[in-house]
Amino acid sequence: MDVPFRSTCPSDDSLVWEGRADSAAACAAAVARARAAQPGWAETPLDERIAVARRFGDLVRGDAGKLATLIARETGKPLWETRTEAAGVAGKVDISIAAQAERAGERRSPAAFGESVLRHRPHGVLAVLGPFNFPAHLPSGHIIPALLAGNALVFKPSELTPAVGEMLVRLWREAGLPDGVLELVQGGRETGAALVDCAIDGLLFTGSARAGLHFQQHFAGRPGFMLALELGGNNPLIAWDGDAETAAAAIVQSAFLTAGQRCSCARRLIVPDSAEGRATVDATLALAARLRIGRWDADPQPFMGSLISADAAAAVDRGIERLTTQGGTLLGDAPAALPGRAFRAPVLIDMSEAARDDEEIFGPVLQLFRVPDFETAIATANRTAYGLSAALLSADDALWARFLARSRAGVVNRNRPTNGAASNMPFGGTGASGNHRPSAWYAADYCAYPVASAEAASLAGAAPDLSAYLDGGAR
Ligand code: NAD
Ligand code: SIN
């Protein structure tokens, strides 16, 4: 290994980053440096760890323009969107500090013998593997809470976004993070595989369900290993009643934001098989056809940029072909010319009469299901092995109560898009979407383990009164 690799801008194939993929030996060396640095970092008072994280947040804020431009160049996402990602990384620091205090802080309760104390301890050295779609925000969702908790980390960004990963680590070092506490390795799956085979105590992973399942099998038989899996989805959106144009806006935002490259994007639209349902579909098609698609730096800004690569766009084409082979019918007109090989227009495909398909297509593809009644709508929504996000568009409180009670997903919204998860809430899924280690507000839970202590100041606290059970007179 140790081979050269590069990242390019998907809008025009221009070079963004060039370097080398790290070998197994380089991964082992990075883990060894992290191992050596971890005890010192864990012993650093929490206030000082918080101060480093706050300096990191300030540096991100100061460099937000540069970070947003780099994310946009490396992913093809429009600048308006990457600016919100950069701001989200800076904002994540205070949210993670508050979440840690609530979820993994210290709690003392008085007891007859003295006090009961709940504390949390870091796991040790953790690997972080990041995805490409939010190359700064999502790894930071692991890195910030894991560092606050006193872990040392070895981070491998997606092979499609090495430059953003490198910038994040540079900002942490400039913030005063001690050497070795956050190591960076670069490369693709081979480097990732070499890293997870090193002597680490856990893996914090955001990415595809396929890779997540692989890791779950890989680490089977190691109950002490911390494996946090944030995986994909095949998310349903039921649009049941209300104004068609308003519903269409929520549907387009759910399905086509980030060119459909969000784990929480709606993949399946479920509507009543009625005039109202047809009006919603027509309004959605009309709105989707008007969405501006363009380069990340175009002025005026597009709603959707490119996909991450021409290969990803070709994978989306294969997904659409699979759906049509299974009986799906493409709706709407063929799109006008697109600005490059990695761009794709929104697609709506009627799967009501088609064979069942439960694979995530990570792009702007929305499957339509027309159903006779609300019961079938809920059953259709739950007909997936995944369980990340789900939403209902309806003014009817009774329908919402039924949907909420029966939905199998970690995010269940009403009259809101399926995506745009809030950092001050847990974010994770059921089924194939994860392993019940939600991130965001609950990330603090998987970054440390609880230690319960019964504490008495003097040895007398350890001595129970056994006199009632003793033979042979008083002690
Ligand atoms: P991916 O699984 O292809 O890659 C993610 C990371 O894991 C990359 O760094 C990659 O190099 C590494 N990797 C992949 N397979 C590996 C293996 N076998 N061994 C070692 N390392 C490996 O995911 P992606 O294409 O970058 O991201 C898109 C996917 O992530 C989608 O499925 C999306 O739904 C999911 N996602 C989930 C969330 C969430 O929070 N639940 C958020 C964003 C994206
Ligand atoms: C994602 O993490 O891919 C999406 C988060 C969101 O927008 O809900």
Side-chain angles (χ1 to χ4, degrees), residues 103-105 117-123 226 437 444-453:
R103 305 283 310 171
V117 188
L118 169 63
R119 301 182 179 87
H120 292 81
R121 290 280 173 264
H123 297 289
M226 172 45 69
R437 304 247 180 236
D445 295 32
Y446 60 69
C447 291
Y449 64 92
V451 177
S453 301

Side-chain angles (χ1 to χ4, degrees), residues 60 64-72 77-90 296-298 301:
V60 171
K66 273 191 206 154
L67 180 58
T69 302
L70 189 58
I71 300 170
K77 295 196 288 187
L79 266 176
W80 68 262
E81 200 184 338
T82 61
R83 286 190 185 115
T84 64
E85 181 169 354
V89 174
W296 60 272
D297 53 354
Q301 279 272 279

Side-chain angles (χ1 to χ4, degrees), residues 130-132 138 156 159 205-208 230-232 263 360 362 427:
F132 70 79
L138 288 172
K156 188 196 82 62
E159 57 273 38
F205 175 76
T206 304
S208 59
E230 316 300 332
L231 309 176
C263 55
E360 178 190 50
F362 209 55
F427 184 69

Side-chain angles (χ1 to χ4, degrees), residues 33-57:
R33 285 192 295 275
R35 181 68 66 196
Q38 195 270 330
W41 178 242
E43 281 161 23
T44 302
L46 178 59
D47 282 354
E48 287 177 37
R49 298 201 301 266
I50 287 176
V52 173
R54 288 219 159 103
R55 280 199 295 277
F56 165 77

Side-chain angles (χ1 to χ4, degrees), residues 167 213 218 230 298 449 470:
M167 180 166 176
L213 182 62
H218 190 79
E230 316 300 332
Y449 64 92
L470 299 179

